[in-house]
Amino acid sequence: MKKFKKFYIETTSICNLACSFCPPTERQARFIKVEDFSKILDDIKPHTDYIYFHVKGEPLLHPKIDQLLDLSYEKGFKVNITTNGTLIHKAASKLLGKPALRQMNFSLHSFDGHAGSENREGYLREIFTFVREATALSDLIVSFRLWNLTRDNVENHIRSRNRATLGLIEEEFGLDYRIEEKVVPGSGVKIAERIYLNQDVEFDWPDLKAEEDDGRGFCHALRNQAGILVDGTVIPCCLDGEGVINLGNVYDRPFSEIIEGERANRLYEGFSRREAVEELCRKCGYRRRFGK
């Protein structure tokens, strides 16, 4: 039976921002129903212990996120949430003290990625307030993400575009160094107990309209990760944000059957040969990170 280190459950396809690095979804706007979420958890229980409230959409928009976290705990899952952080003040009461919540990832690059963003300091202060309270109450892990470097930034070691954000983080955590001096793009630096900062190159979402490469390479899709979109569509990885590689629907068939289906096995076996058999995979730059 396949086991996954990461399992993505899209709790909503709706987002409150329109960031330049994240193409808008063309799918129907919806929130997952609590009863459907419960069914999915039962379905995937043999396959993972860790779930991620993420594919597209902003999970803190879900009006019953507290109930989703309670269900996750009751059924034995640990939860990771990736958020743009803009709603943390409103959602904090639904998150604090939830034993299922293992990690919060704050995509801080969304501030500069969204044309309408205002008041950087106020945005970050609300996140810092939540982080202070949450880490005092529990063993929550926090990752601040700045995934907006260009390849030139990395090659020339010029990473000044995030200086305003990094300066506020340094002030908040009393750091006696500039973060740029220690962080390595693609990995992170520990800035406090259970609190990390990660910088990386902005990645391109795979797109069927993009240029296709030779299809050589490897991916962890259906090896250490899989996902389910808000409408029940099973996808092989978190970058198939439109459900192009539709492996089946958990409301029609059990998840265990879907990932042993013909299309899923062709994808899995293809990457065993270091070959991308799906068109979308041949147009995914992220795959190249694992070499040929």
Side-chain angles (χ1 to χ4, degrees):
M1 180 174 290
K2 291 187 175 76
K3 295 278 287 188
F4 303 103
K5 293 180 182 178
K6 299 179 179 180
F7 201 104
Y8 298 89
I9 301 178
E10 185 183 65
T11 56
T12 180
S13 56
I14 305 167
C15 190
N16 62 320
L17 299 185
C19 295
S20 58
F21 54 81
C22 189
T25 181
E26 297 176 3
R27 295 178 284 116
Q28 180 183 357
R30 61 194 290 178
F31 294 103
I32 199 168
K33 296 178 181 178
V34 173
E35 57 269 28
D36 290 340
F37 181 77
S38 180
K39 176 190 180 301
I40 286 173
L41 293 188
D42 290 337
D43 206 13
I44 68 171
K45 182 57 183 171
H47 299 279
T48 192
D49 297 316
Y50 297 94
I51 53 177
Y52 293 66
F53 289 3
H54 184 58
V55 177
K56 287 289 193 70
E58 168 50 52
L60 299 193
L61 275 173
H62 199 293
K64 297 181 179 179
I65 192 171
D66 50 343
Q67 294 182 40
L68 303 185
L69 286 168
D70 289 341
L71 270 172
S72 300
Y73 178 67
E74 289 169 16
K75 295 178 185 291
F77 292 94
K78 288 291 186 181
V79 176
N80 299 264
I81 293 177
T82 298
T83 173
N84 59 46
T86 57
L87 303 174
I88 195 63
H89 176 69
K90 294 179 180 179
S93 63
K94 296 181 179 181
L95 303 174
L96 290 169
K98 294 297 185 185
L101 188 55
R102 172 186 176 269
Q103 181 166 330
M104 290 282 292
N105 304 314
F106 291 95
S107 298
L108 302 185
H109 47 278
S110 61
F111 184 88
D112 289 313
H114 178 67
S117 294
E118 298 178 351
N119 189 5
R120 183 190 310 271
E121 183 170 355
Y123 162 71
L124 290 171
R125 294 295 178 206
E126 287 193 344
I127 292 174
F128 295 156
T129 297
F130 170 82
V131 168
R132 280 197 303 271
E133 189 170 357
T135 53
L137 285 173
S138 69
D139 293 330
L140 181 72
I141 300 167
V142 174
S143 173
F144 296 131
R145 293 178 172 179
L146 285 165
W147 290 2
N148 59 359
L149 300 180
T150 65
R151 304 233 170 247
D152 287 340
N153 288 145
V154 174
E155 291 167 5
N156 300 322
H157 302 287
I158 301 171
R159 301 188 283 275
S160 60
R161 68 172 300 181
N162 292 314
R163 177 88 301 262
T165 294
L166 295 177
L168 288 165
I169 292 173
E170 290 160 2
E171 177 187 324
E172 170 68 21
F173 293 96
L175 304 183
D176 59 1
Y177 57 86
R178 287 168 72 95
I179 290 172
E180 298 98 324
E181 298 169 2
K182 294 199 174 186
V183 71
V184 176
S187 61
V189 60
K190 184 176 181 179
I191 58 176
E193 188 64 30
R194 304 192 312 280
I195 301 174
Y196 303 85
L197 183 134
N198 298 82
Q199 283 195 276
D200 208 343
V201 171
E202 179 181 316
F203 65 84
D204 294 322
W205 286 81
D207 189 334
L208 289 177
K209 297 175 184 175
E211 185 177 345
E212 188 170 313
D213 63 20
D214 63 6
R216 300 300 301 167
F218 179 76
C219 181
H220 292 286
L222 294 184
R223 275 181 162 76
N224 73 3
Q225 66 167 282
I228 298 176
L229 298 179
V230 69
D231 66 354
T233 299
V234 175
I235 54 175
C237 76
C238 62
L239 292 182
D240 186 3
E242 292 302 298
V244 172
I245 307 175
N246 182 342
L247 302 176
N249 195 292
V250 290
Y251 302 133
D252 300 327
R253 277 196 299 156
F255 176 78
S256 297
E257 287 184 14
I258 292 171
I259 58 166
E260 294 299 341
E262 181 181 354
R263 190 172 189 181
N265 282 329
R266 276 199 311 111
L267 183 147
Y268 185 97
E269 292 163 5
F271 281 126
S272 295
R273 304 188 302 270
R274 308 192 85 78
E275 175 187 348
V277 301
E278 290 282 349
E279 180 184 0
L280 188 70
C281 298
R282 295 193 295 271
K283 297 179 176 181
C284 179
Y286 199 81
R287 190 190 79 250
R288 301 186 197 108
R289 296 188 179 200
F290 304 110
K292 294 188 177 183

